[in-house]
Amino acid sequence: MPARQPPKGLLVATIAIALTMQTYQAPQRRRIILMRHGSVSYYLADGTPVDADAVGLNDRGIKQAQAAGALLAQGGVRVDRVITSDLLRTRQSAEIVLNAMQTQSVPRQSALKALQEIRKGSYEALEDVALHEAFLGIFRGCPSGDTRFQGGESIDEVYARVLPVVKDELADPDWHTALWVLHGGINRALISWWLCAPQGWLGNLLQQPACINLIDAASRPEDSIVRAVNLWPGDWLQTDERHSTIELQLLEYERGLLNRKSALAQGRADAVEQSDEARSND
């Protein structure tokens, strides 16, 4: 028995609906592998801050970057664009990651001053609660745009210098998969922007050294997908981790501060004792 044909009128109506219906068109997205640089030593053994603009990776940071690169290689990832800041620790991390990935061709690379870490001010004269707030205030909850990091740059000022560069990069059609190796604070700014467009700051977003974030970036942040955050090849579950990286820096600085104060107090006590001995011998 031949198949029953639909009425001619129904067929015409179906075609008309198909021609006029606006079906969803997903935005075009490209993959950004957003990483933080590997571990560095920001303080000397006595807690004295080093020049953060010049510091390179320590041994642990080198191993972390190697582990991240090995993971990307295992996944068959190939990148045709690399972005870093112009600071040594991001450039060094990107180089190690690319070497571990064993890339066949050299991707186009840029090291941009505008993507440097949040610029800090002077905090050496601060102690106790004021010191804690200078370190941690910008990394708690959803702080306002005028909140400053260690008395330096504010959140609004970070976005003002970073977002124009990011938008230019997203408008560039000449890449497919990019590796961006930046800083903990800048990564927080960007992930917050992708999550809370047009602008917002999520201070509690942790960025472990040499962590991996996966962003499927569209031309607009609200059309983008934050697919993964803070993947850490060195310790996937971060089993023993309970502090943020900035808390660890604060604790390291305070230990050094205490040691320096103790040494100064001991020096003064020794000087008084020597003075007393000199007078008693007169």
Side-chain angles (χ1 to χ4, degrees):
M1 182 177 179
R4 187 176 178 181
Q5 299 296 322
K8 185 176 180 180
L10 177 60
L11 182 60
V12 171
T14 302
I15 293 173
I17 291 172
L19 291 175
T20 59
M21 180 176 166
Q22 292 186 353
T23 59
Y24 175 71
Q25 299 294 320
Q28 181 181 0
R29 299 183 177 103
R30 295 176 290 177
R31 174 62 55 89
I32 296 175
I33 301 163
L34 175 65
M35 291 186 57
R36 185 190 177 195
H37 60 79
S39 288
V40 302
S41 300
Y42 289 109
Y43 301 99
L44 301 177
D46 65 353
T48 303
V50 301
D51 182 1
D53 288 350
V55 68
L57 301 186
N58 56 31
D59 290 343
R60 188 182 182 198
I62 291 172
K63 292 177 181 178
Q64 291 164 342
Q66 289 171 336
L71 175 67
L72 296 175
Q74 183 181 352
V77 175
R78 294 289 180 268
V79 299
D80 53 3
R81 183 73 169 118
V82 176
I83 298 288
T84 68
S85 76
D86 62 347
L87 299 182
L88 174 60
R89 56 190 184 273
T90 62
R91 293 185 287 109
Q92 187 180 5
S93 297
E95 181 180 1
I96 293 171
V97 169
L98 291 174
N99 287 339
M101 291 175 65
Q102 299 179 339
T103 54
Q104 300 300 316
S105 58
V106 179
R108 182 165 55 100
Q109 303 184 35
S110 298
L112 304 175
K113 182 177 181 179
L115 297 180
Q116 288 184 6
E117 182 58 297
I118 307 173
R119 294 160 183 160
K120 63 184 180 181
S122 176
Y123 58 88
E124 285 79 3
L126 301 177
E127 294 185 16
D128 302 328
V129 175
L131 178 65
H132 303 165
E133 185 62 25
F135 267 75
L136 304 176
I138 202 171
F139 298 120
R140 287 175 172 158
C142 301
S144 61
D146 59 358
T147 305
R148 297 186 177 276
F149 177 55
Q150 296 179 353
E153 203 169 25
S154 72
I155 291 173
D156 286 341
E157 290 165 347
V158 171
Y159 278 125
R161 69 172 166 91
V162 169
L163 288 185
V165 175
V166 171
K167 291 176 181 178
D168 286 346
E169 192 63 26
L170 294 178
D172 179 359
D174 296 329
W175 59 271
H176 180 266
T177 301
L179 172 67
W180 294 10
V181 184
L182 302 175
H183 304 269
I186 300 304
N187 285 6
R188 280 179 176 86
L190 294 181
I191 296 171
S192 298
W193 179 67
W194 273 307
L195 288 172
C196 306
Q199 192 164 301
W201 183 280
L202 303 175
N204 296 89
L205 281 174
L206 186 62
Q207 291 288 279
Q208 294 283 61
C211 69
I212 296 172
N213 309 279
L214 301 178
I215 313 297
D216 291 335
S219 58
R220 303 190 310 167
E222 54 266 40
D223 291 329
S224 302
I225 297 172
V226 177
R227 195 165 294 276
V229 174
N230 199 38
L231 301 176
W232 203 32
D235 183 357
W236 288 112
L237 298 180
Q238 304 181 39
T239 307
D240 297 323
E241 300 291 330
R242 296 296 182 273
H243 293 85
S244 69
T245 52
I246 193 65
E247 285 175 329
L248 294 175
Q249 290 178 33
L250 172 58
L251 290 170
E252 185 178 4
Y253 174 73
E254 285 192 318
R255 282 193 296 270
L257 183 62
L258 177 61
N259 291 337
R260 292 196 299 276
K261 283 187 172 184
S262 298
L264 182 61
Q266 184 62 53
R268 289 172 177 169
D270 291 344
V272 170
E273 183 178 355
Q274 290 172 4
S275 177
D276 290 343
E277 289 179 355
R279 282 197 299 269
S280 65
N281 292 332
D282 288 344

